Amino acid sequence: MTVGHEIAAALEVVGLHKNFGALRVARDISFTLEPGARHALIGPNGAGKTTLVNLITGVLRPTSGSIHLGGVDITRARLERRVVLGLARTFQISSLFLPLSVAENVALAVTAKAKIDTQPYGPVYRRDAIVAEVQRLLALFEIEATAQRRVADLAYGQRRLVELALALALKPKVLLLDEPAAGLPKRDSERLLEILMRLPAEVAVLVIEHDMELVFNFARRITVMFEGGILAEGSVAEIRRDPQVRDVYLGHRRDHEMAS
Ligand SMILES: Nc1ncnc2c1ncn2[C@@H]1O[C@H](COP(=O)(O)OP(=O)(O)OP(=O)(O)O)[C@@H](O)[C@H]1O
Ligand SMILES: [Mg+2]
């Protein structure tokens, strides 16, 4: 037992490897998210970003390496256990209940969280507390006006906000966002950034994004992946001026996205 006063990292990944047959999709991945981190994970298509999220959330098992969440070893933990310990994610492809309303989708997530919190005692949560929490989340993500509409009838950008509300309903310590701005028109992605800026300060957030404006404005640190490995990690300024990063990733993008 340690007697020091070190605060455990929110998430610590050490020496993670994953092979799909001969394809090495994660090679020696190590990084740490401190509580309250605002961290971006970037890299070209196929670099292994979503695979890494799948390893952290337990969708995939690593070939070797370890994952700790709040100091607890979750390398081999089941998905549900990881959620209980404070891990939440959104998906590159939507995972909402399309025939249900926005409020119903959020209420399902809030109820699931209430059940987790009261597990040893059975479902002792109160209906009015659930309703209040649903209202709070709808307000946080500015989707009150669509509360009674079916998710299937919503514009794409609105759906992405509902997904964020679902993830936040779990009151995570670590939130993994896989391309939240993908497919959004410029205006919506600016609005998304404003909303991301309002996420609770204590939650560690890892965002995967190709929208460099969002990345540079949101993140304090950036990790760059390339061909399954980590190419670079640093502050926004360090990554922007890293010649290797410009070559393999940012260099592939339109010049104006790089301009300061
Ligand atoms: N289940 C799987 N079986 C085999 N190969 C896979 C599997 N999932 C992903 N891959 C491969 O692993 C590599 C990494 O894919 P991944 O989806 O993690 O990339 P990514 O960085 O998220 O890319 P994008 O920016 O396009 O979302 C790719 O070569 C992909 O084809
Ligand atoms: Mg991906």
Side-chain angles (χ1 to χ4, degrees), residues 42-69:
I42 66 171
N45 295 120
K49 304 179 299 294
T50 298
T51 301
L52 179 57
V53 169
N54 286 336
L55 288 166
I56 294 168
T57 55
V59 175
L60 294 171
R61 284 293 151 94
T63 310
S64 62
S66 70
I67 307 166
H68 284 75
L69 187 69

Side-chain angles (χ1 to χ4, degrees), residues 49-50 92 178-179 208:
K49 304 179 299 294
T50 298
Q92 195 167 351
D178 196 354
E179 299 202 25
I208 296 174

Side-chain angles (χ1 to χ4, degrees), residues 71 73 113 203:
D73 189 339
K113 173 60 178 166
V203 179

Side-chain angles (χ1 to χ4, degrees), residues 89-143:
R89 77 178 292 184
T90 62
F91 293 83
Q92 195 167 351
I93 295 162
S94 177
S95 61
L96 297 167
F97 294 99
L98 294 179
L100 300 185
S101 74
V102 170
E104 285 164 343
N105 268 273
V106 177
L108 281 173
V110 171
T111 308
K113 173 60 178 166
K115 281 185 179 159
I116 288 170
D117 287 348
T118 60
Q119 228 167 27
Y121 320 104
V124 295
Y125 52 88
R126 295 167 41 145
R127 245 162 232 269
D128 52 354
I130 301 270
V131 171
E133 178 63 359
V134 170
Q135 291 302 337
R136 191 186 71 82
L137 287 164
L138 294 175
L140 180 65
F141 293 100
E142 298 176 351
I143 47 179

